[in-house]
Amino acid sequence: MSRFFATGSDSESEESSSADEITPKAPGTTFKQSLLLSDDEEDTKRVVRSAKDKRFEELTNLIKTIRNAMKIRDMAKCLEEFEQLCRAFLKSKNIVDKEGVPSFYIRLLADLEDYLNQLWEDKEGKKKMNKNNAKALSTLRQKIRKYNRDYESEIAAYKENPQESADEEEEKEQGDSGSSSDSDGEGGDDGVSAKSFLKKKPDASSEASKFLKSAKGSGDESSSSDDDDDEEDWGSDTVDSGSESSDEGEGRSASLAVVFLKKAQDADKPSEKKLGKKKKPKKKERLEEEAEEEGGEEVEGGWEKVKGGVPLVKEKPKMFAKGTEINVPVVVKKLNEILQARGKKGTDRAAQIELLHALAAIAAENNLGQGILVKIKFNIIASLYDYNPNLAAFMKADMWKKCLDCIDELLDILFDNNNIFIGENIAEDSESLTISEQPFRVRGCVLTLVERMDEEFTKIMQNTDPHSQEYVDNLKDEGRVCGIVDRLLAYLENKGSTEEICRIYLRRIMHTYYKFDYKAHRRSLGLQGETKSEQDQEESEGEDSAVIMDRLCKFIYAKDRTDRIRTCAILCHIYHHALHSRWYQARDLMLMSHLQDNIQHADPPVQILYNRTMVQLGICAFRQGMIKDAHNALLDIQSSGRAKELLGQGLLMRNMQERNAEQEKIEKRRQVPFHMHINLELLECVYLVSAMLLEIPYMAAHEFDARRRMISKQFHHQLRVGERQPLLGPPESMREHVVAASKAMKMGDWRTCHSFIINEKMNSKVWDLFPETQRVREMLVRKIQEESLRTYLFTYSSVYDSISMETLSEMFELEIPTVHSIISKMIINEELMASLDQPTQTVVMHRTEPTSLQNMALQLAEKLGSLVENNERVFDLKQGVYGGYFNRDQKGGYQQKQGGYQRDQKGGYQQKQGGYQRGGYRNQNQSNY
C-alpha cells in the first residue's frame, strides 16, 4: 500500500509523521495528493463542523457586513443585510433556545438602534441622503424598534455594562469560529497559500497542511518538533483540533508562506494573528465545558449574567457614588435621572420600578422626611400604571397587588402627617421636600391615582373569564378597592376641594348603586334577629346604602359644576331606588331630571348607564304591578333587538363595514363587568309578560278592526313564530311559555295561562331571581285573572244578552267588587257596549257592535273604495291633471285623520260613519296591502 494512503489514517503515529517530513516528495505527486486531500477534507468537514458553528459563523459574517455598511452610511445595504440576518437568526432558533441568544447578536441590535437614532436626529445628514437611503433608514428604524422589543432585557443588560458584553462577544465569536475552523483553523493561512498555489482547492484540511508541511525539505528542529506536537493533537481527536497554541500556528503558517508565497507574507500576517486569537478561546471553551460538568460556580454565574442581566442588588451600591452625602437634592436628582428613561423604547420597566423602591428605601434609611417619600411613592404608582403601555391591556396580578399596597402606604403617610400638602397646582419649583418648620409641599394628585386604580380594577374584571374561580378571587379585591376609596373620601373631606370631593363621591356611588342591600331589606321585614355572628350584627347596624346614596348624591346635586358627574349621580340614584322597589321616588327623580330629552348628546358610557337605569326602572314597575309603565320603560331597549349591546353586556356579531377593529376595541373597553350585569332572560320575560297582559285584551277588543295598531312588535313576532310551527309540543323555553300562555288568555282560560306563566321551570329561570318572589307571583296571578276577564268579555260579549257578575266572579276567582270595578271601567271607556243592572247584579249587553258578517262587508266596501281611488289616480296621471290629484290627496288625508279620530273616540256607530270617508278607506287599503 502506498505510504500516502497510510498517512491518511486518523490513528497515525508520531514516527510516520516525522518520516513523511524527512522524505522528499517527487514533483509529480502534488496533483495526486491534492485529489486525495480533497476527499479527506470533505470527511473532516463532515465530522467537525457542527450546526451551531455553521449558524453562528453565518450570523457573524452578516454582522460584519452590516457594520461595514454602517461605516459608509449605506442604509439600503444595512436594510438588506438586516433582513437576511433576521432570517438567518430564525433558522438558528433551535440552537439559540439551547445556547441562549449570543452576546454579539445583542450587541449589534443595541449598536444598530443607537446608530439609527443618531442618524434620525441628524436633520442635516438626512437631507443630504439620496432617496433610497432615506427610505431605507425610515424602514430599518421601524423594523429595529419593533424587533428589539423581544430583547429588551438583554439589550438593557448590555447597555448597563457594555465593556463586559463586548469582551464576551469577542470571546464567543472567536470560540465559534475556532470550532468551525477545524478545517480552516490551524491551516487557515495554509488554506490561503494552498489556494494561491492550487486554485481548485480553496481550503486545505489537516491532512493537506501535513502533506504541504512535508514539502518544506529543510526545516529547523523547533518547527519540526512543533509540527510533531500538532500532528499528535490532530491525530488523537478531531474535536480537539482547535486547542493548539498561537505560537504553533504562527510558526507553521509562516514557514508555509516562506516556501510557497514569499511575496504574500504581508497579506498573510493579519490572518496569522487572527488564527492565534481563534485558538485561545477554543481551549478556554473546552475548559469551561469541563468546569460545567464538574458543576463550576463561575460558569453558572456567567450564564446568569448573560440571560438575566445585571442583578439590581449590584445596582444599589452604584445608586450613589461612594462617600456621597445622601440628602434631598441628591435623591431628587437621582429620581429625575430614573424618570428620564420612563416611556423610552428599550427601558426595562420592571427594573425601573425596583430602582424607585430602592431609592425610597434609601430615603427612609437616611431619614430625609416624609415629603420626599411621598414624591417617590407617587412616581412608583405611576410607573406601575405605565408597566403596560397598551391601554387595552390589564395589570398582572403581582403588579396589581403592588399597586394596592403602594396606595395604602401613601394614604398611611398622608393620614399620619397632617403637614403634607399635595396638589396638581403646586409647581415643581415651589415644592418643599426638606425637613423644616414649613409644611411639606408635593406636586401630585392622589385622587387621580385612585381613579386610575379603579379603572384598572374594571379592566381586570372585564378581561377575566366570569365563569372561572379567578373571577371570584379578583372580585374579592373590590372590598379593598372600596376601602381605599373610603379612606381617600375621608381625607379629601378635610383637605380636598369641592370638585375633588364630588369626584371621589361619584367613585363611591359607582361601587354602591348596583348592589342590593340585603341587610336593610331584612331589617325592613323585621328579620334582623336571624344574623348570628358579631360581624353580621355590626354590618347590619351600619348605615343603610340608601342613606349613603342619598347623602352623597345630594351633595353632588348641590355642589357639582360639571353636568357629567351630576348626570351619573342622578342615574345611579334612580337605579338604586328602582333596585330596592322604591318606584315612586325613582319615577319622580327621572321625570324631574328631564334626562330623556338630551341623553342622546351624552358620551357612550353615560348612555349605557341610562339604558341600565331605564331597564331597572321597568323591572321595578313590573314588581309593583304597574304593567303599562313597565312596558313603556322597557320598550325602547327590547324593540331594538340589541339589548345586550345597549346595556354594555357584550357585542353583537356585525360585519366589518358597520364596525372596524378599532371601534370594536373601544366598545369592548366600555363593557360592564359580569357581576354588574342585568339578567337578559329575566328582562325579556318581564317585557313579554307585560306585552301579553296589554296586547291580548287589546287584540280581543279590536279583532275586526283593519286599522288595529300593534302595542309590541316583538310580542307579535313571537306569536307568529309560534303559529308557524307545524308541530306544537309542550313549551320548553321562556318564550314558548309566554306564547302558550297568550293563546290560553285569548280564549279567556286564565287557569291554563297561569300554569304556563308560573311553574317550576319559569320559577327557576325568572321569578325566583326577584327579592320578593312570592309577592311577585301573587301580583302576576291577580293580573292574569283581571286581564283574562277583560278578554273574555271582549271575545264573547256578542254571544251574551246578559251575564251575572256572580258567575264571572266564580269563573275567574275574583271578588264581586273587583268584577264590578273592571266592568264599570270598560263601560266608562266605551270599550264595552253594556250597562249594569244593580238590583240583579247582571251586565246587560247592547247590540250596537257589528256582527262578523257586517265587519266583513265593511272591509269589502273599504277595499272597493280604494280600488276606485287607484283607478282615478292612474286616469289623472294619463290626462296630466296633477292639481286635482294633489288636492284630493291632501283633502283625503285630512278626512282620514278626522274619521280615524272619530272612530277611536266615539264608538261603533261613528266608527262605521268615519270608515266610509274617502281618505280614511284609501289609506286603510294602503296599510293593508
Side-chain angles (χ1 to χ4, degrees):
M1 179 185 271
S2 171
R3 116 181 115 77
F4 295 116
F5 284 98
T7 54
S9 156
D10 285 341
S11 59
E12 178 184 27
S13 66
E14 190 177 348
E15 289 79 16
S16 63
S17 171
S18 57
D20 287 342
E21 287 186 27
I22 295 164
T23 307
K25 286 197 298 181
T29 60
T30 310
F31 183 66
K32 289 179 185 176
Q33 285 176 7
S34 63
L35 288 174
L36 183 64
L37 294 178
S38 64
D39 295 337
D40 290 341
E41 178 190 13
E42 288 174 7
D43 294 341
T44 311
K45 277 188 181 179
R46 243 188 337 264
V47 173
V48 173
R49 290 195 67 185
S50 63
K52 174 189 167 187
D53 301 333
K54 287 180 184 177
R55 294 299 182 197
F56 280 18
E57 186 180 5
E58 185 184 1
L59 293 177
T60 49
N61 290 337
L62 288 167
I63 286 170
K64 284 173 190 171
T65 313
I66 290 173
R67 289 196 183 278
N68 289 337
M70 286 164 64
K71 286 175 187 174
I72 61 173
R73 292 196 171 195
D74 188 353
M75 290 296 102
K77 184 71 173 172
C78 269
L79 176 59
E80 181 185 346
E81 294 297 323
F82 178 71
E83 288 173 347
Q84 286 188 18
L85 180 67
C86 292
R87 287 194 290 269
F89 189 75
L90 197 61
K91 290 178 186 174
S92 313
K93 189 173 185 304
N94 293 335
I95 296 164
V96 170
D97 290 343
K98 291 178 188 174
E99 304 289 337
V101 182
S103 55
F104 62 82
Y105 190 72
I106 295 299
R107 183 182 180 193
L108 174 84
L109 293 179
D111 292 349
L112 184 57
E113 186 174 15
D114 294 341
Y115 172 74
L116 292 173
N117 288 336
Q118 287 174 6
L119 283 183
W120 190 262
E121 290 167 5
D122 182 11
K123 304 292 182 186
E124 295 299 323
K126 275 168 64 179
K127 287 178 184 176
K128 292 176 184 176
M129 280 185 182
N130 62 32
K131 187 177 178 182
N132 288 339
N133 271 353
K135 187 176 179 182
L137 171 64
S138 175
T139 308
L140 183 57
R141 181 169 171 267
Q142 289 178 356
K143 284 193 174 186
I144 194 75
R145 285 168 65 185
K146 187 176 179 182
Y147 192 77
N148 282 6
R149 286 177 196 164
D150 297 333
Y151 306 101
E152 283 183 355
S153 56
E154 290 91 341
I155 291 171
Y158 162 72
K159 286 183 177 178
E160 285 171 8
N161 205 342
Q163 188 58 42
E164 284 186 21
S165 300
D167 294 342
E168 285 175 13
E169 180 199 336
E170 192 176 343
E171 289 171 7
K172 186 113 179 174
E173 276 188 24
Q174 291 161 359
D176 296 338
S177 57
S179 62
S180 65
S181 63
D182 286 332
S183 55
D184 293 335
E186 300 165 0
D189 297 311
D190 305 347
V192 173
S193 56
K195 190 187 205 173
S196 60
F197 186 67
L198 293 170
K199 290 184 181 178
K200 290 182 183 178
K201 284 79 187 170
D203 294 319
S205 65
S206 57
E207 295 292 325
S209 60
K210 186 164 62 177
F211 280 118
L212 291 170
K213 278 184 269 181
S214 65
K216 290 184 221 174
S218 61
D220 49 6
E221 292 175 5
S222 62
S223 65
S224 139
S225 63
D226 288 343
D227 291 338
D228 293 343
D229 293 338
D230 294 344
E231 286 161 15
E232 270 189 353
D233 290 337
W234 279 66
S236 60
D237 190 3
T238 54
V239 178
D240 298 331
S241 60
S243 61
E244 299 163 359
S245 67
S246 75
D247 294 332
E248 294 167 350
E250 286 172 10
R252 186 178 70 253
S253 56
S255 60
L256 188 66
V258 167
V259 174
F260 288 113
L261 283 176
K262 290 183 180 177
K263 290 181 183 178
Q265 260 182 342
D266 296 336
D268 289 346
K269 278 180 185 176
S271 51
E272 286 169 14
K273 291 176 186 175
K274 187 175 175 185
L275 181 67
K277 284 180 186 175
K278 284 179 183 175
K279 289 170 191 167
K280 283 182 185 175
K282 189 63 186 175
K283 195 168 186 177
K284 188 175 178 183
E285 270 187 10
R286 191 174 64 189
L287 291 171
E288 283 179 357
E289 285 173 5
E290 290 171 4
E292 268 185 15
E293 288 171 4
E294 294 168 7
E297 294 177 0
E298 291 179 6
V299 179
E300 291 175 4
W303 275 110
E304 185 179 81
K305 190 170 172 186
V306 170
K307 286 197 172 180
V310 179
L312 287 173
V313 182
K314 295 179 184 176
E315 283 294 325
K316 285 187 181 176
K318 294 181 183 178
M319 185 77 76
F320 299 104
K322 205 168 185 179
T324 305
E325 183 185 355
I326 308 296
N327 54 27
V328 171
V330 172
V331 172
V332 170
K333 185 180 177 185
K334 190 68 184 176
L335 176 64
N336 290 331
E337 285 177 15
I338 295 169
L339 293 179
Q340 278 172 1
R342 179 179 168 191
K344 290 184 179 177
K345 290 287 182 184
T347 304
D348 187 354
R349 298 183 185 87
Q352 197 178 31
I353 293 166
E354 292 302 322
L355 285 173
L356 289 170
H357 277 294
L359 194 62
I362 290 170
E365 284 171 14
N366 291 276
N367 297 320
L368 299 181
Q370 300 297 332
I372 187 67
L373 205 58
V374 167
K375 186 172 179 65
I376 295 172
K377 289 285 182 193
F378 269 122
N379 286 296
I380 289 173
I381 297 166
S383 298
L384 286 166
Y385 291 146
D386 287 349
Y387 188 76
N388 286 326
N390 188 359
L391 266 177
F394 62 99
M395 290 178 83
K396 299 293 180 282
D398 54 341
M399 288 294 171
W400 171 245
K401 301 294 181 192
K402 281 183 188 175
C403 179
L404 292 179
D405 293 338
C406 282
I407 293 175
D408 269 329
E409 290 167 13
L410 180 60
L411 289 173
D412 288 338
I413 295 170
L414 294 176
F415 274 109
D416 294 341
N417 300 275
N418 289 324
N419 59 341
I420 298 177
F421 290 97
I422 56 173
E424 289 176 307
N425 53 352
I426 298 172
E428 288 192 9
D429 302 337
S430 62
E431 282 184 324
S432 174
L433 303 174
T434 53
I435 300 174
S436 61
E437 293 180 1
Q438 293 181 345
F440 293 112
R441 289 168 60 81
V442 183
R443 177 178 172 78
C445 180
V446 67
L447 174 58
T448 306
L449 296 180
V450 171
E451 285 180 334
R452 177 70 189 275
M453 173 207 68
D454 197 20
E455 289 166 8
E456 289 294 338
F457 176 71
T458 304
K459 275 200 278 188
I460 289 171
M461 301 312 296
Q462 284 172 343
N463 288 279
T464 310
D465 179 14
H467 306 293
S468 64
Q469 183 60 34
E470 185 187 0
Y471 191 91
V472 178
D473 296 337
N474 288 339
L475 191 56
K476 290 175 184 174
D477 288 335
E478 192 186 16
R480 197 169 172 191
V481 171
C482 290
I484 290 172
V485 170
D486 282 335
R487 291 184 70 193
L488 182 61
L489 189 147
Y491 176 78
L492 290 177
E493 280 176 344
N494 295 327
K495 292 194 172 184
S497 64
T498 307
E499 183 186 349
E500 289 177 331
I501 293 173
C502 287
R503 282 164 63 190
I504 194 63
Y505 275 8
L506 182 63
R507 289 285 159 187
R508 184 70 180 86
I509 288 167
M510 295 298 280
H511 280 283
T512 308
Y513 81 97
Y514 63 90
K515 296 174 184 171
F516 188 80
D517 194 346
Y518 282 98
K519 293 185 172 60
H521 180 61
R522 278 202 294 269
R523 275 203 299 273
S524 67
L525 297 176
L527 303 174
Q528 189 174 352
E530 289 183 9
T531 56
K532 296 179 181 178
S533 66
E534 293 179 3
Q535 184 180 357
D536 284 347
Q537 287 178 0
E538 285 176 11
E539 288 179 3
S540 63
E541 289 169 4
E543 202 174 11
D544 282 356
S545 62
V547 178
I548 296 171
M549 288 287 293
D550 199 53
R551 177 169 57 83
L552 300 181
C553 290
K554 283 182 177 175
F555 182 89
I556 290 175
Y557 301 156
K559 306 288 185 182
D560 179 58
R561 296 175 186 172
T562 63
D563 285 340
R564 190 182 188 282
I565 291 179
R566 192 186 308 114
T567 302
C568 290
I570 290 173
L571 290 172
C572 292
H573 204 179
I574 295 168
Y575 189 104
H576 195 262
H577 278 316
L579 189 63
H580 292 83
S581 300
R582 295 189 287 272
W583 157 249
Y584 291 104
Q585 292 96 314
R587 183 198 65 182
D588 294 346
L589 196 54
M590 175 61 82
L591 294 175
M592 284 190 295
S593 66
H594 294 286
L595 285 174
Q596 59 272 25
D597 298 336
N598 52 12
I599 193 65
Q600 67 271 16
H601 303 302
D603 53 337
V606 178
Q607 290 187 19
I608 288 172
L609 181 58
Y610 174 80
N611 292 338
R612 285 166 54 79
T613 303
M614 287 304 298
V615 162
Q616 200 63 51
L617 203 58
I619 294 173
C620 173
F622 182 80
R623 287 199 304 266
Q624 300 301 312
M626 313 283 184
I627 302 299
K628 196 164 188 176
D629 291 321
H631 181 269
N632 291 338
L634 300 177
L635 180 64
D636 288 338
I637 302 295
Q638 284 298 124
S639 61
S640 66
R642 298 187 300 130
K644 186 179 184 181
E645 195 170 338
L646 293 173
L647 296 175
Q649 296 182 185
L651 298 178
L652 298 174
M653 295 297 292
R654 291 197 196 171
N655 55 22
M656 293 303 289
Q657 293 172 352
E658 293 183 35
R659 178 174 60 211
N660 58 30
E662 192 61 34
Q663 287 173 331
E664 191 162 342
K665 284 180 186 174
I666 293 169
E667 288 189 21
K668 278 182 180 175
R669 288 203 292 271
R670 294 180 188 141
Q671 298 304 299
V672 177
F674 184 75
H675 63 281
M676 297 168 65
H677 282 194
I678 295 170
N679 190 319
L680 292 176
E681 190 174 20
L682 179 143
L683 173 62
E684 188 179 8
C685 181
V686 166
Y687 175 74
L688 289 177
V689 170
S690 301
M692 177 189 78
L693 294 174
L694 293 173
E695 190 80 63
I696 297 298
Y698 180 82
M699 287 167 66
H702 300 83
E703 185 177 359
F704 302 107
D705 187 357
R707 301 181 60 236
R708 181 181 67 216
R709 62 183 179 83
M710 286 188 289
I711 296 174
S712 169
K713 286 186 180 179
Q714 191 182 4
F715 178 72
H716 275 275
H717 174 69
Q718 295 300 333
L719 285 180
R720 282 195 296 272
V721 168
E723 288 169 2
R724 283 197 212 109
Q725 288 179 355
L727 179 64
L728 277 178
E732 293 181 4
S733 67
M734 175 272 299
R735 291 173 182 172
E736 289 175 1
H737 277 88
V738 176
V739 169
S742 302
K743 289 178 179 176
M745 183 184 278
K746 212 185 260 188
M747 306 301 293
D749 186 356
W750 77 270
R751 288 184 179 83
T752 309
C753 178
H754 168 239
S755 66
F756 281 131
I757 292 292
I758 299 173
N759 51 55
E760 288 184 9
K761 193 177 282 188
M762 290 291 282
N763 285 344
S764 61
K765 281 187 176 182
V766 181
W767 310 125
D768 287 345
L769 303 177
F770 287 121
E772 299 174 347
T773 308
Q774 193 55 39
R775 195 169 68 82
V776 171
R777 287 201 200 99
E778 289 170 1
M779 179 275 297
L780 264 176
V781 172
R782 184 81 173 180
K783 288 290 176 186
I784 288 171
Q785 288 171 333
E786 291 176 2
E787 297 303 324
S788 296
L789 170 60
R790 281 165 48 79
T791 307
Y792 185 84
L793 288 173
F794 282 132
T795 307
Y796 300 110
S797 59
S798 58
V799 177
Y800 288 100
D801 285 327
S802 64
I803 186 170
S804 168
M805 280 194 284
E806 190 176 347
T807 307
L808 292 174
S809 172
E810 290 173 2
M811 190 184 296
F812 292 97
E813 296 184 9
L814 289 168
E815 302 85 3
I816 289 180
T818 307
V819 175
H820 185 278
S821 167
I822 291 169
I823 294 173
S824 299
K825 281 181 187 174
M826 291 172 71
I827 293 171
I828 291 168
N829 293 332
E830 296 186 356
E831 294 173 334
L832 183 67
M833 294 298 108
S835 57
L836 283 171
D837 186 26
Q838 202 69 29
T840 58
Q841 291 287 303
T842 56
V843 183
V844 180
M845 303 297 175
H846 299 167
R847 292 294 179 186
T848 56
E849 287 295 321
T851 62
S852 58
L853 181 61
Q854 290 171 334
N855 274 313
M856 290 174 70
L858 285 173
Q859 289 180 22
L860 178 61
E862 287 175 358
K863 288 180 180 178
L864 287 171
S866 66
L867 183 62
V868 171
E869 188 72 24
N870 286 335
N871 288 335
E872 285 181 6
R873 198 177 294 173
V874 172
F875 181 75
D876 288 344
L877 285 171
K878 284 183 178 179
Q879 296 297 321
V881 184
Y882 297 105
Y885 164 68
F886 285 113
N887 289 335
R888 184 169 59 251
D889 190 36
Q890 289 171 1
K891 183 180 176 185
Y894 169 74
Q895 290 177 344
Q896 177 254 335
K897 288 179 189 172
Q898 187 180 16
Y901 174 77
Q902 288 174 350
R903 183 175 60 246
D904 287 340
Q905 293 294 323
K906 299 291 177 188
Y909 172 71
Q910 289 184 353
Q911 176 195 356
K912 287 188 287 180
Q913 188 179 11
Y916 281 116
Q917 292 173 356
R918 184 174 60 184
Y921 58 70
R922 181 182 69 232
N923 283 284
Q924 271 178 8
N925 181 62
Q926 289 173 358
S927 65
N928 288 338
Y929 284 109

